[in-house]
């Protein structure tokens, strides 16, 4: 069963599946499939396959600054780190701060690439390769700069990465 519902509806769906005694393979994306959804019905969500933009943030050392900022300003556990929007926002803020501090002169595509490559916030284990200078070859998605995903499995109520970054360009171009 593929679920791409808001987290509250995903939570209701897994509770209903659990109440019916259903056991099936679940597939979803992070942002939809959150820690709250896993907590709602662990017997149903264990083994689910989840497509993510980054490796899991709950335990990864790379996301320690994110967790510390959330704990300081919002309270530990107040933000669901299984939500790609949280991680994208944190990453964007960190990269912006790095690049803005180093910008000198006119910013061009190649100059931006050079600044991004020098940014200490970009870590190839947590940030996929991005190319802001080259539009994506599918015109409707010309502004899509991240062609990569990480495949996660839910094991014992936690996300576990089963792959590194997987380039999805060929799949996007085939339209599947």
């Amino acid at each position: 069963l593929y679920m791409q519902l808001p987290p509250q509806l995903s939570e209701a769906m897994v509770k209903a599946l659990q109440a019916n005694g259903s056991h099936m393979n679940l597939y979803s994306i992070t942002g939809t499939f959150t820690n709250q959804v896993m907590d709602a019905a662990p017997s149903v969500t264990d083994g689910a396959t989840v497509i993510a933009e980054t490796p899991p943030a709950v335990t990864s050392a790379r996301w320690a600054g994110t967790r510390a900022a959330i704990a300081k300003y919002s309270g530990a556990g107040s933000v669901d780190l299984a939500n790609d929007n949280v991680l994208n926002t944190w990453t964007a803020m960190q990269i912006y701060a790095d690049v803005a501090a180093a910008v000198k002169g006119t910013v061009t595509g190649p100059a931006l690439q050079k600044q991004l490559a020098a940014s200490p916030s970009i870590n190839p284990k947590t940030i996929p390769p991005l190319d802001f200078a080259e539009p994506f070859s599918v015109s409707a998605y010309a502004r899509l700069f991240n062609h990569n995903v990480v495949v996660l499995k839910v094991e014992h109520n936690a996300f576990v990465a089963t792959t590194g970054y997987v380039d999805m360009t060929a799949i996007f171009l085939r339209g599947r």
Side-chain angles (χ1 to χ4, degrees), residues 3-21:
M3 293 188 336
Q4 189 172 351
L5 302 166
Q8 297 84 357
L9 293 178
S10 292
E11 183 180 349
M13 172 69 85
V14 296
K15 284 180 179 179
L17 291 170
Q18 185 175 33
N20 288 333

Side-chain angles (χ1 to χ4, degrees), residues 98-111:
D98 293 345
V99 173
V103 167
K104 294 173 181 61
T106 303
V107 177
T108 63

Side-chain angles (χ1 to χ4, degrees), residues 63-73:
W63 299 107
T66 311
R67 294 189 302 270
I70 290 168
K72 180 177 179 179
Y73 296 107

Side-chain angles (χ1 to χ4, degrees), residues 70-128:
I70 290 168
K72 180 177 179 179
Y73 296 107
S74 187
S78 63
V79 175
D80 192 340
L81 289 171
N83 188 329
D84 284 338
N85 294 328
V86 171
L87 304 179
N88 290 343
T89 300
W90 176 262
T91 301
M93 289 187 312
Q94 296 303 303
I95 293 171
Y96 175 79
D98 293 345
V99 173
V103 167
K104 294 173 181 61
T106 303
V107 177
T108 63
L112 179 59
Q113 286 298 112
K114 185 177 178 182
Q115 292 296 334
L116 288 172
S119 170
S121 294
I122 295 181
N123 176 328
K125 292 183 178 172
T126 56
I127 307 296

